Amino acid sequence: MRLTSDTILCLVIMAGLLFSSAVAEAQEADISSQPEMSADALLARQTVLLAKMLERPADLDIAFEYATVSVMVGDYEAAISTFERMLIFAPNLPRVKLELGVLYYRLGSFETARYYFQSTMEIPNVPAEVRQRVETYLSAIASKQQPTQFRADVIIGARYQSNANAAPGGRRVTLNGRDFILDDTATGQADINAFVAGRAYGSYDLGTQGDLIETDVVFYAARFADQVRLDTGLAEITLGPSFNMARFNFDDVQLGIYGVASGVRLNHANYNGALGVGTRLVARPDIQTEINAKLEWRQRWFNDTSEYPTVSDRNGYFVQFASKISRQLTKGLQMRVLALADFEETRIKSQQSWEAGGGVGATYQFASPVKQLPHLWSIDLEAGYIYRAYDEPDPLVNAAVKQRDHEGWLRAALNVPLKYNVSAGLVGEVRRQNSNYDLSSYSNVSAMFSLRKAF
């Protein structure tokens, strides 16, 4: 039976859509106020501007627009070289120096970024908005260069589900070739729950070529209006070193090794605990692309209770692989591809299974339509699919056929920054699982509202 763990993981993943750090004001260049264009239109405009710039190299307006469009298509190198050439013709342009500082900040060249920001401040009569932005970036650089880093997010919210217990939609099911009528309480039940979730990340720079000690703490708690047996509490901590692989000529690659401990409470009783190890890889092959991958092994112990009297049948180890490749296609549009696989060993082989799947997603940032909320809004869309196969038939359901599940989801989220570190979110999801076991087929439609604060 995977109902309990899948429900918990689904909730945590849903909350995770709004869990990411807000796009801080220091992360957005001033040129973000440029009107949005399609990717093809931007590339075409960049080509036209390049030709004009070569014809009129001293025309700073054309050069600035070319650099602006280059940033919007993610061609930071072209933008940097253009801005630096502009300073040869006009060395005291505060806006150009600001943009150069922003670009070098994004590339992680903090000392070069600091140079341009400080040079901006030395120019007479710097506009107040430019000065304020420079001070924000200088503060961010000082924070990033501290050996100890800390950041955290806390989310509170409410979620409605049309099938909170992930049970069959109808009462009629087939068990070993015979039709049975389920009690109403055994079918899908709608419910609403309130939740709080959080994540705290800390790192310490060991001072050895970028090596770190990193720790992550994640917690989640939910209380349901009617389905109190689904009341959930979850906590997890990971701790371990992360190594800069540049020493092996792998630039912009970080490899981490960590231990993990987690625990889950369900229906106000201890449900399961786990200890394990994992490794994660973060690589940035270019400025527009990021690769995240992790592999974990956990030993899990389940606790039988009056509500869940047989969950100890799932005692065993759990191996999971997950990866995500993200690419910034334009300044406002990011795409991602997901891949995942896992194997769950259990004491009862009819509950032992493996699964594999993946998904695609996109995040689009756009100018706020509300004047009083100046920060960029974002829309996130994701679709995914998982195939799950069990090792042996369940004799209580079908003694001759093993269980096979096909699970898919569609998800949409809107993120609205209320302040630079406070945002509101709306998430809607449709999830469907088709199984050759009637008891495991279900549909669920959910809607969630949340408020997030970053620290």
Side-chain angles (χ1 to χ4, degrees):
M1 176 179 178
R2 301 178 65 95
L3 166 61
T4 302
S5 62
D6 282 354
T7 303
I8 295 170
L9 289 174
C10 178
L11 290 171
V12 174
I13 292 170
M14 289 284 287
L17 285 174
L18 303 176
F19 223 61
S20 302
S21 299
V23 179
E25 191 170 6
Q27 296 289 337
E28 295 300 326
D30 289 353
I31 58 177
S32 63
S33 60
Q34 294 291 325
E36 289 292 339
M37 300 171 62
S38 69
D40 290 341
L42 286 170
L43 290 171
R45 182 60 180 164
Q46 185 190 33
T47 301
V48 171
L49 289 169
L50 177 60
K52 289 183 177 181
M53 191 172 62
L54 293 175
E55 292 175 1
R56 290 177 281 173
D59 192 323
L60 298 184
D61 290 336
I62 292 177
F64 190 86
E65 185 182 355
Y66 172 77
T68 298
V69 173
S70 295
V71 172
M72 296 176 73
V73 300
D75 191 353
Y76 294 166
E77 289 78 3
I80 286 174
S81 62
T82 303
F83 282 135
E84 289 179 337
R85 188 175 58 80
M86 290 175 66
L87 291 179
I88 297 175
F89 292 95
N92 290 319
L93 292 176
R95 179 68 179 275
V96 172
K97 289 191 173 183
L98 170 62
E99 301 294 358
L100 275 168
V102 170
L103 288 169
Y104 277 111
Y105 179 91
R106 290 181 173 183
L107 292 169
S109 301
F110 298 132
E111 289 303 322
T112 305
R114 189 201 304 275
Y115 165 78
Y116 280 111
F117 289 139
Q118 291 176 340
S119 297
T120 304
M121 300 290 274
E122 294 170 359
I123 298 173
N125 303 317
V126 175
E129 64 273 13
V130 172
R131 182 177 297 275
Q132 180 180 4
R133 198 165 186 83
V134 167
E135 290 173 350
T136 300
Y137 275 106
L138 288 174
S139 176
I141 290 173
S143 175
K144 285 181 175 292
Q145 291 184 326
Q146 292 293 322
T148 301
Q149 300 289 326
F150 175 82
R151 60 179 179 268
D153 297 89
V154 175
I155 298 175
I156 59 172
R159 184 185 185 208
Y160 166 82
Q161 299 181 79
S162 64
N163 188 350
N165 54 336
R171 296 178 60 190
R172 183 181 297 276
V173 297
T174 300
L175 303 177
N176 280 312
R178 299 178 61 186
D179 290 338
F180 289 85
I181 302 299
L182 297 175
D183 185 86
D184 284 338
T185 59
T187 60
Q189 303 292 315
D191 206 350
I192 188 170
N193 69 277
F195 68 87
V196 58
R199 178 195 178 208
Y201 168 84
S203 68
Y204 179 77
D205 192 331
L206 297 173
T208 54
Q209 303 179 15
D211 298 335
L212 307 170
I213 295 293
E214 295 182 303
T215 184
D216 255 309
V217 177
V218 176
F219 67 87
Y220 174 84
R223 294 294 179 267
F224 286 77
D226 298 319
Q227 303 284 321
V228 295
R229 66 191 297 268
L230 300 179
D231 287 353
T232 305
L234 177 150
E236 178 176 296
I237 181 170
T238 63
L239 174 66
S242 177
F243 302 102
N244 183 357
M245 303 305 288
R247 55 168 60 88
F248 301 114
N249 296 320
F250 294 105
D251 295 333
D252 297 314
V253 176
Q254 204 79 15
L255 178 67
I257 301 172
Y258 56 91
V260 58
S262 67
V264 176
R265 286 179 61 83
L266 194 60
N267 193 27
H268 309 279
N270 292 336
Y271 181 72
N272 88 303
L275 293 173
V277 294
T279 181
R280 57 176 162 247
L281 179 77
V282 179
R284 296 177 179 85
D286 55 62
I287 189 62
Q288 295 94 3
T289 308
E290 180 174 286
I291 301 171
N292 282 272
K294 70 175 183 178
L295 177 65
E296 291 184 352
W297 175 92
R298 303 184 187 206
Q299 182 67 39
R300 303 190 302 180
W301 298 271
F302 289 83
N303 179 51
D304 292 335
T305 63
S306 58
E307 190 69 44
Y308 302 99
T310 62
V311 291
S312 62
D313 291 342
R314 294 181 61 189
N315 287 350
Y317 67 83
F318 181 76
V319 180
Q320 179 187 47
F321 169 79
S323 66
K324 178 178 72 172
I325 301 176
S326 304
R327 183 166 180 83
Q328 198 75 35
L329 299 182
T330 68
K331 190 177 189 311
L333 178 63
Q334 183 187 78
M335 298 289 293
R336 64 183 179 274
V337 178
L338 314 172
L340 59 90
D342 67 52
F343 175 75
E344 178 181 8
E345 183 210 36
T346 60
R347 191 165 61 188
I348 302 299
K349 299 307 178 184
S350 61
Q351 296 189 22
Q352 184 165 291
S353 66
W354 63 269
E355 64 182 26
V360 294
T363 302
Y364 177 69
Q365 288 186 314
F366 58 95
S368 169
V370 180
K371 183 178 180 180
Q372 293 78 9
L373 301 174
H375 301 289
L376 294 176
W377 293 21
S378 66
I379 293 177
D380 188 275
L381 301 174
E382 184 177 292
Y385 166 80
I386 293 173
Y387 173 75
R388 184 178 304 113
Y390 289 78
D391 283 1
E392 292 184 1
D394 186 337
L396 298 179
V397 180
N398 190 324
V401 179
K402 302 175 185 178
Q403 182 176 345
R404 297 290 185 264
D405 299 336
H406 300 269
E407 183 177 1
W409 69 90
L410 294 172
R411 184 183 303 138
L414 172 67
N415 189 52
V416 179
L418 306 179
K419 297 170 58 178
Y420 78 95
N421 65 343
V422 177
S423 62
L426 288 172
V427 179
E429 184 190 72
V430 177
R431 184 173 290 261
R432 171 66 182 169
Q433 178 166 297
N434 287 320
S435 176
N436 60 340
Y437 281 22
D438 291 345
L439 288 173
S440 296
S441 292
Y442 72 92
S443 297
N444 185 32
V445 177
S446 64
M448 182 176 74
F449 172 78
S450 67
L451 292 172
R452 184 198 60 81
K453 180 173 175 60
F455 299 90

